[in-house]
Structure formats: C-alpha cells, structure tokens
Amino acid sequence: MRKRVLSGVKPSGEQAHIGNYFGAMRQFVELQETHENFIFVADYHALTTIHDGEALRQYTLEIATEHLAVGLDPEKTVLFRQSDVPEVAELAWVLGCVTPHGLLERAHAFKDARAKGLEVNAGLFNYPVLMAADILIYKSHLVPVGQDQKQHIEITRDIAEKFNRTFGKVFIVPQALISEETGVILGLDGRKMSKSYGNTIMLFEPEESIYKKVMRIVTDSTPLGHPLNPDKCTVFAFHRLFNPEGLEELRQRYLEGSIGYAEAKKWLFEKMMEKLRPLRERWAELRRQPEYVEQVLREGGEKARAVARETMREVRQAVGVGGLR
Ligand code: AMP
C-alpha cells in the first residue's frame, strides 16, 4: 500500500517563483509517482490575512492552475480546495479542545506576528490546530515540509498523540518528510530567493522580463578573460538548476577564464527557457480553461471529503458528540 502524503499550498495572490518550484512544487510532482498524493489549496488558512472574498477565490484558482501547469496530474494526485471539506473546520474545533494554549503561544508564526506588532486574530493563533486537522483528517503518513515548518508537524504530532491517549487511537501520528536535496534556492542578488527581497524570477512571467532579470544577476567585477570562482557565483548556482548537463563544461571554462558573466548569463537564459517552456505553455493553456481547473478542484474535493467524513465518524464516536451510528 502506498503511503499517503499531504501538502498544503497557500493562495497568497503571489505568482510562483523558481524557489517555490525547486523547493516545493517539483517534489509534489515526483511524489505522485510513489505515494498517494493529497494536495490542498489552503483557503481557510489564507483567511487569517486575506479579507477580500473575490480575491481569495481568484487566488485559489490561480495557485491550482500553477500546480497543474508544473505537472500535477489529477489522475494521480487528489488536488482540492481546503474549504470544500468543511469537516476539517469541525475537526479543528475538536482538536482545539485537547490543545494546550501554551503550545500555540510557542508557535513561530504567532510569535513572529506578535513580535512585529501585527494584529493577531484568533484564526492566526489557532493556525497550527487547523493545520493539525488538515493532516489528521486524511490519515496522512507523511507531510513534506521545509526546515521552517518542522515545528508545525511537531505540534500536529503532539495533538494527535494527546487525542489518541485521551479518546483511543483514531489518528495516524504523521512524520515530516524533509527532502535532502532541497537546498535554498538563491535569488538575483545571491540571497535566498524570496518575494520579500524582490529578487525572484517567476515561473510564468514574460520571457523578456526573465531575460532582463537574468542579465542583472549580481556578480563580482572580475574582468573578462580572468578565472571565475564557480562556487561563489550566483549565475553558476542557477546553472546547477537548469543546466546540469552543461555544468562540468561551464566549471572548466570558469576556472580557465574562458567565459565571462555575460556569456554565462545568456547560456543560462537559453537553458532556463528550454526547461520552463513546456510548463509555461501548459500554464497559458490552463489559464484559458478556468472551468476545467474548477472541475479538477471539485472532483478532488469529493475524493478528499469521502476520507474526511469517515474520519469524522470515528472522531464523533470517540469524543461523544452526535448520536451513535
Ligand atoms: P512561500 O510562498 O515563501 O511560503 O514558499 C512556499 C514554499 O516554497 C516553501 O515552503 C519552500 O518549500 C519553498 N521555497 C520558497 N522559497 C524558496 C527558496 N528560496 N529556496 C527553496 N525553497 C523555497
């Protein structure tokens, strides 16, 4: 039996960048070949910060479109909208009743928001409980996460264990799946690629705009004809992602001083477009068919909901709410 893997993606309205692709999206696509892959668009989670109904609905569709474009196959992955399974909100309530307040006070997202002086609504404070409900309701074995999300999985495990001890074993205690190869993807300025640094390349932005960005990747000022250090070069780091087949040749030319940054960037741009073109074409095509994307989400939601209903039947029976069935 294949293990079930669950991932959530938050509809933020921001387009996916190369860091998102190599750091998360690509793994989702690989996992659908080896695992039972559940991926949800976390619209309930987004509600902690987005208070514009029309925008949220639009962002949800956009992020689903992007994930289909990079290769998620609805035949192999259950792709759904979190809110199409309202049972998850019911479970969050139940789990909240076995979750110590202190556990949530220690959660990074809450602490960071408070430290920044942001207004913290109860939804944000309870975020880890809803996340636990997401994971536990589908009896997920594994949850792929970056290092920064490890704490949430620990919280989920604590909640699941506490529930199982209190009411009898209903939940699978999940494990974090931390991908070994996913390092940090660098942005144009050599820092971590991130929207907040303004150093991103989006997967689906216009080709001319990608070209301009590639040409302004920050390098040192070694003059043409001098050796370059591949291990301290952001252009070279991008080649690792898009040009593995040419990497040895490029390394040699860096060391010999027989290539300059401008040429290395032009080569990178060609390779980047070559690798991204199929995804970009699929994206353009899917954007013309929002009703297809909507249908994928709806059908995924039905599959997910069938699992969730069964779990909630067990939960209700265990905790004593609802009549016996
Ligand atoms: P965000 O939209 O920033 O929340 O990112 C979503 C996911 O994309 C994160 O959980 C990471 O797994 C991945 N990600 C984002 N930026 C990077 C990066 N620069 N390098 C590697 N992975 C990243």
Side-chain angles (χ1 to χ4, degrees):
M1 209 188 70
R2 286 184 168 195
K3 287 199 167 163
R4 184 170 294 159
V5 177
L6 177 95
S7 312
V9 294
K10 200 152 134 182
S12 61
E14 302 277 350
Q15 283 205 358
H17 57 67
I18 285 168
N20 298 134
Y21 178 66
F22 286 99
M25 298 164 98
R26 198 178 55 160
Q27 276 80 340
F28 299 159
V29 177
E30 286 165 5
L31 283 166
Q32 71 185 354
E33 305 303 335
T34 49
H35 290 72
E36 202 189 344
N37 206 24
F38 276 47
I39 298 190
F40 66 95
V41 179
D43 55 351
Y44 278 151
H45 281 296
L47 260 188
T48 60
T49 51
I50 300 174
H51 294 159
D52 174 341
E54 210 170 300
L56 180 55
R57 199 161 286 123
Q58 182 59 26
Y59 298 165
T60 298
L61 216 54
E62 281 169 8
I63 200 169
T65 303
E66 289 182 332
H67 281 76
L68 289 170
V70 301
L72 284 186
D73 175 353
E75 300 289 318
K76 297 178 181 168
T77 290
V78 180
L79 178 65
F80 63 105
R81 188 165 25 216
Q82 184 182 28
S83 61
D84 279 345
V85 187
E87 285 79 2
V88 80
E90 182 188 357
L91 181 58
W93 174 258
V94 174
L95 297 180
C97 297
V98 295
T99 305
H101 197 267
L103 191 65
L104 301 181
E105 282 181 332
R106 288 191 295 275
H108 296 316
F110 166 66
K111 282 194 350 196
D112 291 351
R114 203 169 48 176
K116 285 185 196 147
L118 300 176
E119 191 185 300
V120 178
N121 56 43
L124 179 65
F125 184 70
N126 285 317
Y127 190 106
V129 181
L130 182 57
M131 182 160 164
D134 287 317
I135 296 168
L136 299 177
I137 206 164
Y138 303 112
K139 305 260 176 112
S140 320
H141 300 98
L142 295 167
V143 185
V145 286
Q147 285 292 342
D148 52 340
Q149 286 278 313
K150 253 170 73 179
Q151 189 199 35
H152 280 159
I153 306 304
E154 290 304 319
I155 294 177
T156 299
R157 290 171 58 87
D158 284 354
I159 294 175
E161 279 163 2
K162 176 95 181 283
F163 182 100
N164 285 348
R165 267 199 316 276
T166 311
F167 296 110
K169 185 170 183 314
V170 171
F171 295 123
I172 290 176
V173 180
Q175 285 179 334
L177 181 69
I178 298 179
S179 158
E180 325 80 61
E181 54 181 327
T182 314
V184 168
I185 308 300
L186 302 183
L188 302 175
D189 57 359
R191 291 185 291 173
K192 178 185 171 176
M193 186 178 287
S194 164
K195 313 174 257 250
S196 48
Y197 293 147
N199 63 359
T200 57
I201 296 178
M202 306 297 173
L203 287 179
F204 305 115
E205 71 183 293
E207 192 163 330
E208 314 81 72
S209 157
I210 295 187
Y211 181 78
K212 282 192 195 136
K213 285 184 174 180
V214 168
M215 295 315 285
R216 63 180 177 79
I217 295 173
V218 177
T219 58
D220 63 24
S221 49
T222 311
L224 197 59
H226 288 257
L228 306 174
N229 183 349
D231 300 318
K232 287 200 175 146
C233 174
T234 311
V235 181
F236 194 85
F238 274 109
H239 271 275
R240 268 183 214 287
L241 303 172
F242 290 100
N243 186 18
E245 57 282 2
L247 209 61
E248 247 338 282
E249 181 192 334
L250 184 66
R251 177 182 286 280
Q252 280 315 317
R253 294 190 61 195
Y254 261 60
L255 297 175
E256 290 162 12
S258 64
I259 190 167
Y261 289 125
E263 188 185 344
K265 286 175 176 179
K266 286 195 177 123
W267 190 11
L268 170 63
F269 172 71
E270 275 166 35
K271 283 290 166 183
M272 209 178 245
M273 293 319 298
E274 182 185 310
K275 299 281 159 64
L276 293 180
R277 198 159 285 124
L279 283 58
R280 293 164 60 86
E281 284 171 2
R282 215 158 32 216
W283 180 77
E285 202 180 307
L286 285 164
R287 290 242 300 172
R288 290 192 289 272
Q289 313 168 43
E291 59 304 327
Y292 166 75
V293 179
E294 178 59 38
Q295 182 194 339
V296 167
L297 288 174
R298 225 179 359 243
E299 287 175 9
E302 280 162 23
K303 288 182 203 159
R305 196 166 187 194
V307 179
R309 281 208 175 108
E310 178 50 29
T311 306
M312 280 318 292
R313 198 187 54 73
E314 292 173 50
V315 168
R316 290 169 143 254
Q317 186 136 332
V319 305
V321 300
L324 275 176
R325 292 202 193 163

